[in-house]
Amino acid sequence: ENLCCSYPCQNGGVCLTKGFNDYECDCTSTDFYGRYCEVPTFTKRIKLWLKPSPSTLHNLLIGNKWFWDIVNSIPFIRKFIMKRVYTIRSDIIDSPPTYDNEHSYITVDANYNLSFFTRTLPPVPIECPTPMGVAGQTKLPDIDELVQKLFVREKFKPEPRGTSALFSFYAQHFTHQFFKTDIKRGPQYQWGGHGVDMTHVYGKDKHDEHLLRSHTDGKLKFQTINDEDWPPFNKDVGVEMKYILPVQKDNDFALGHSFFGNLPGLFMYATIWMREHNRVCDVMRKAHPDWDDERLFQTGKLILLGSTIRITVEEYIQQLSNYNFKLLFDPTLLFGEPFQYQNRVALEFNHLYHWHPLMPDDFNIGGTNYTIKDFLVNPKLVIKHGMANFVDSLSKQNAGSITVKNHGKYTLAVVKELMKHGRTLRLQSFNNYRKRFNLPAHKSFQELTGNKKLAKVLENFYGDIDAVEFYVGLITEKRRPKAVFGETIVEMGAPYSVKGIMANPICSPKYWKPSTFGGDVGWEIVNTATLKKLFCQNLKENCPEVSFKVP
Ligand code: HEM
Ligand SMILES: COC(=O)[C@@H](C)c1ccc(-c2ccccc2)c(F)c1
């Protein structure tokens, strides 16, 4: 039988079977040696001894506000720390990508097959005794029972740190530009561009982009209703829009992403980025009256890309991490470092980012209460209330907490689908992912959950802590003090997200300069972009509440 099924090789060692009854661990470039790559080299031993644990670091970063206020005010210290955040987080991610969803070993295909999500850990080999290799039972627990006991929201649990519903829709809107499962072909297939490419604003390809553009002054098509600019109706454009329920004509708009007509929060962001693009085109036309439609459009796209990344790092991830340390988006920190400006979206990152508990069960917009049902496939609510009221209301409403028993009714089908995909694609155990991201495997259900009752429920389901599935582990893991979610989501999400952002072409030395963004004017926009400006520079009335944190 395949002795590699028990994952004997530690610290990144690669297991290779030798005939039917033996194996060896390849410890090359792991800084470990020995039969299981379990013995650290001398230098590695020193490094491990000096390295603070993720929890120690976390507590340091969320505490000591006085200390961080000083650090944040001294540019060269702040930059020194941010550079290490970039390099340490990025170095954990394999680049070029190593595994795909169809082989439990490295292949050339894994690198060249862009229509696959890549895999950070390869699938569990088919011939292994249990779905997790050797741990646990031969059959995984029933998904409906798991969902019933671990995910169904009985009572809404607000995000404890006051994260707002504006944040929730930002998460969904921003991540859907690179999380694009090609369901028809299978859960391992994707139709995205493997990075922050703004296709959620400009369309999935050149064909759709051509339909969404006005071809005048670099602008995107729009229509004016109630004295505000909105996306055009799709009857006038003809891009493919996908709805999860039947849609009325006056709710069918042409947007950069086929899914974005399903929720008003997504339509809101689609609208504000369309307005921002057209505003930037006007600004650039003044600075460059000699430029044609194409140059205005392309420069506008680059400026919005830079603005998106700045807002994502300095406001969105800032809120997510809850660190007192002020995060900085500065590509020059990596200049001169060995860094690959290439990214491949991992299946595990996609699964990890299923944050449906962020969604409340209903929304209070300008005093009117809407259930998710009222919200679904009803983007014209944003027009009805007006952009200012809509963003103000979402900024004042608490998001849901990403934790157990907090999936709203309309997202249960999604989480069931996710669990099925995890099994079809033979994801390794939660503990194997902990080790892959330099975290100690949890030794007991109690240690994983920090909750006796929950530990018992999980024990009854899985029997063995090493058989707990990936997504189940992420959601049932105990939260660290003042954290949005468990340790593993941060320690896995941070590397994927930092690598995915900093590997963007605009962060590379040849792109990251004023001329790329149309000179000083565009450069200034990218370097001073904020969420508040994104909304308030595109509203006629005075600026409403715009925040990822409820006041
Ligand atoms: C009530 C609100 C929501 C509903 C009804 C909803 C519904 C869905 C549905 C039906 C899918 C599967 C179809 C598809 O893949 O496009 C999906 C996928 C997904 N959702 Fe949600 N969602 C909601 C909110 C969110 C939020 C707040 C996030 C936050 C990050 C999120 C993250 C994702 C991700 C990452 C995927 C996988 C996308 C892909 O791989 O194609 N969703 N959602
Ligand atoms: C050390 O600090 C970090 O690594 C910070 C910058 C950090 C970065 C990224 C995340 C993050 C985690 C999950 C999904 C998206 C982003 C995160 F939660 C924290």
Side-chain angles (χ1 to χ4, degrees), residues 387-428:
M387 179 64 80
N389 278 331
F390 211 85
V391 66
D392 184 79
S393 303
L394 290 183
S395 299
K396 291 171 177 167
Q397 177 155 359
N398 219 96
S401 176
I402 303 170
T403 185
V404 285
K405 300 170 85 69
N406 208 25
H407 271 74
K409 187 172 69 172
Y410 285 90
T411 66
L412 293 176
V414 187
V415 76
K416 279 180 192 166
E417 200 56 20
L418 183 71
M419 293 296 294
K420 280 185 204 142
H421 291 167
R423 294 180 181 185
T424 312
L425 299 175
R426 304 179 64 76
L427 280 176
Q428 291 188 31

Side-chain angles (χ1 to χ4, degrees), residues 91 110 142 166 185 221 234 253 293 327 347 394 406 431:
D91 288 352
D142 175 77
L166 189 70
R185 293 184 73 185
K221 280 177 185 156
N234 200 22
F253 297 88
D293 168 68
L327 302 178
L347 182 96
L394 290 183
N406 208 25
N431 263 343

Side-chain angles (χ1 to χ4, degrees), residues 325-381:
F325 170 62
K326 204 160 174 307
L327 302 178
L328 172 69
F329 172 52
D330 181 358
T332 65
L333 299 181
L334 283 175
F335 289 3
E337 287 296 305
F339 186 82
Q340 310 240 354
Y341 291 96
Q342 60 166 316
N343 188 57
R344 195 70 58 88
V345 175
L347 182 96
E348 296 96 332
F349 191 30
N350 180 314
H351 282 220
L352 171 149
Y353 231 120
H354 277 61
W355 295 350
H356 294 90
L358 280 174
M359 279 289 147
D361 290 319
D362 40 27
F363 295 89
N364 185 311
I365 309 292
T368 311
N369 206 52
Y370 297 101
T371 65
I372 293 266
K373 184 98 177 61
D374 304 328
F375 245 37
L376 286 178
V377 195
N378 197 2
K380 70 176 191 303
L381 283 181

